[in-house]
């Protein structure tokens, strides 16, 4: 059935299709349709349960940041069977983002390119929405924070921007992800640079003591340039600085600014222009970053694997590489809402095949 829906959606602009899908989901979550959908996508198995950061996750499959920027669909994600959802990116100030068109499909590569520009309604409005929805949340909700989309907000002002959004959002989050891999200056530099990251985490972790001392804070990192990198000084520096300041997990990975692994015509890609690449081409690279982080940290903190998850096998590779949780976004666009159920069923089959009694037993068991 989704093949027919997808055919219709893929005939219109990617961002407009996203708005239509979001509108349909908002309508469903306020009607009896929600119960019908829940029965369709329901699949539970105790072997998928985990407790991470003192939070209960019924399964490891989550929604990645970017799909529900303004936390408009918080009650709906449980309906599709997600174990958790990450909303945002949220910034201190509202932003309309970049001019359109700013979202593009690459069907032959099962990929997306976007330069949305962190469009969101801002931390004040979104924090109020999450507070109102507190009693309707059936799954853990993470909040992804990014710097306000304004290249003039740099240096100390950028740190303060992050701190302000953290102060508003952290009390309403089950965990907070700091999106440090989005450019925050005209030069395209990011908070992944050691000095900038240290300043940011000093401010955020100090604010956490006052706003939400128990909330786990995670760092979201850029993907490596390939799946063969054996040493990355930037990743090692980020891990050292993060762990030193009490970071409780990592997300691997963000979208990619390059166009590695694409079969799409160069002329077409040039016409699209700049933007973050997500989807199938990032599967191996993001899994490699999961593996690298797991080995670097000795499995001391949980890792969320995201990038190119289109099947249970994709998710399982990330789990065996060291991810405790995984996230989907582009796969949802190409495979439809049944993807979550299919991944969960497939994960149970893979656990049985390999003799694991729970998802936790499989984490980090990848053989060299």
């Amino acid at each position: 059935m989704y093949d027919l829906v997808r055919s219709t959606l893929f005939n219109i602009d990617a961002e407009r299709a996203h708005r239509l899908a979001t509108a349909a989901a908002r309508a469903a979550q306020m009607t009896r349709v929600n119960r019908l959908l829940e029965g369709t996508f329901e699949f539970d198995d105790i072997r998928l349960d985990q407790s991470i950061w003192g939070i209960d996750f019924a399964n490891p499959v989550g929604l990645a940041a970017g799909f529900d920027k303004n936390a408009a669909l918080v009650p709906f994600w449980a309906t599709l069977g997600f174990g958790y959802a990450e909303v945002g990116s949220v910034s201190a100030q509202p932003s309309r983002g970049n001019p359109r068109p700013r979202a593009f499909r690459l069907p032959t590569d099962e990929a997306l390119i976007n330069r949305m520009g962190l469009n969101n309604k801002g931390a004040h409005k979104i924090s109020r929405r999450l507070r109102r929805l507190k009693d309707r949340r059936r799954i853990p909700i993470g909040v992804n924070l990014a710097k306000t989309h304004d290249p003039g907000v740099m240096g100390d002002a950028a740190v303060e921007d992050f701190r302000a959004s953290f102060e508003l959002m952290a009390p309403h989050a089950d965990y907070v992800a700091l999106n440090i891999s989005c450019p925050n200056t005209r030069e395209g530099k990011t908070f992944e640079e050691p000095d900038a990251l240290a300043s940011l985490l000093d401010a955020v972790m100090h604010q956490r003591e006052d706003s939400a001392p128990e909330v786990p804070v995670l760092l979201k990192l850029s993907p490596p340039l390939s799946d063969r990198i054996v040493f990355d000084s930037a990743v090692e520096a980020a891990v050292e600085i993060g762990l030193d300041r009490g970071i409780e997990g990592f997300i691997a990975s963000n979208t990619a600014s390059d166009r590695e692994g694409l079969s799409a015509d160069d002329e077409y890609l040039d016409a699209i222009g700049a933007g973050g690449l997500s989807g199938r081409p990032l599967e191996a690279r993001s899994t490699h970053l999961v593996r690298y982080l797991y080995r670097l940290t000795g499995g001391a903190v949980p890792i969320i694997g995201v990038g190119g998850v289109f099947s249970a096998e994709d998710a399982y590779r990330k789990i065996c590489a060291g991810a405790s949780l995984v996230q989907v976004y582009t796969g949802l666009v190409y495979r439809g809402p049944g993807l979550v159920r299919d991944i969960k069923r497939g994960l149970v089959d893979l656990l049985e095949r390999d003799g694991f009694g729970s998802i936790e037993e499989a984490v980090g068991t990848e053989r060299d």
Side-chain angles (χ1 to χ4, degrees), residues 22-331:
T22 298
R26 290 193 72 172
Q29 74 181 1
M30 294 184 290
T31 67
R32 293 182 179 178
V33 173
N34 206 52
R35 291 186 179 180
L36 295 175
L37 290 174
E38 190 163 355
T40 299
F41 298 116
E42 185 177 13
F43 178 83
D44 298 308
D45 193 295
I46 195 170
R47 287 168 287 186
L48 299 179
D49 290 358
Q50 293 180 91
S51 179
I52 303 172
W53 306 301
I55 303 167
D56 292 329
F57 293 85
N59 69 76
V61 186
L63 178 78
F67 205 104
D68 191 6
K69 292 176 179 290
N70 297 308
L73 299 173
V74 167
F76 183 71
W77 301 122
T79 301
L80 295 190
F82 280 105
Y84 68 106
E86 190 173 309
V87 301
S89 292
V90 179
S91 55
Q93 302 300 321
S95 173
R96 298 182 67 179
N98 291 322
R100 299 173 183 168
R102 53 193 183 178
F104 309 89
R105 305 183 194 91
L106 303 175
T108 57
D109 291 300
E110 292 190 306
L112 301 174
I113 291 176
N114 90 83
R115 52 170 177 271
M116 300 299 291
L118 295 171
N119 55 311
N120 72 99
K121 296 184 181 297
H124 284 277
K125 186 165 187 175
I126 298 172
S127 64
R128 290 197 299 269
R129 176 173 289 167
L130 280 179
R131 184 172 64 246
R132 290 197 304 269
L133 290 171
K134 182 179 180 180
D135 294 336
R136 298 183 64 193
R137 288 162 55 167
R138 294 183 290 150
I139 57 175
I141 300 296
V143 174
N144 184 292
L145 300 182
K147 188 192 73 66
T148 296
H149 183 56
D150 180 350
V153 179
M154 299 186 292
D156 291 343
V159 171
E160 171 57 23
D161 187 89
F162 253 113
R163 187 211 60 78
S165 59
F166 185 92
E167 180 180 16
L168 288 167
M169 300 302 304
H172 311 293
D174 288 293
Y175 71 83
V176 173
L178 303 181
N179 189 352
I180 62 170
S181 40
C182 273
N184 67 88
T185 69
R186 290 184 178 89
E187 295 80 16
K189 296 179 180 178
T190 74
F191 274 107
E192 287 177 301
E193 295 189 342
D195 289 344
L197 178 58
S199 296
L200 173 66
L201 293 184
D202 286 342
V204 166
M205 301 309 272
H206 181 73
Q207 181 61 55
R208 183 175 77 159
E209 294 177 9
D210 295 329
S211 300
E214 302 300 323
V215 69
V217 180
L218 287 65
L219 296 182
K220 187 168 188 176
L221 304 177
S222 296
L225 295 176
S226 80
D227 60 351
R228 295 180 176 85
I229 292 175
V230 296
F231 175 76
D232 190 317
S233 59
V235 171
E236 301 222 357
V239 169
E240 181 179 358
I241 293 167
L243 294 181
D244 184 60
R245 285 159 175 80
I247 287 298
E248 282 126 323
F250 296 92
I251 301 178
S253 66
N254 211 328
T255 57
S257 58
D258 59 73
R259 299 293 178 260
E260 291 296 320
L262 294 179
S263 63
D265 182 79
D266 288 343
E267 187 173 328
Y268 177 61
L269 293 175
D270 289 342
I272 289 176
L277 172 69
S278 65
R280 178 70 71 189
L282 261 66
E283 192 275 325
R285 291 164 63 181
S286 61
T287 302
H288 181 65
L289 182 57
V290 169
R291 181 183 303 116
Y292 191 83
L293 289 168
Y294 187 79
R295 293 176 178 174
L296 196 59
T297 62
V301 295
I303 298 166
I304 298 177
V306 53
V309 177
F310 282 66
S311 68
E313 289 76 14
D314 296 333
Y316 194 59
R317 275 192 294 273
K318 283 180 166 52
I319 290 165
C320 292
S324 296
L325 301 168
V326 297
Q327 292 179 343
V328 299
Y329 182 146
T330 306

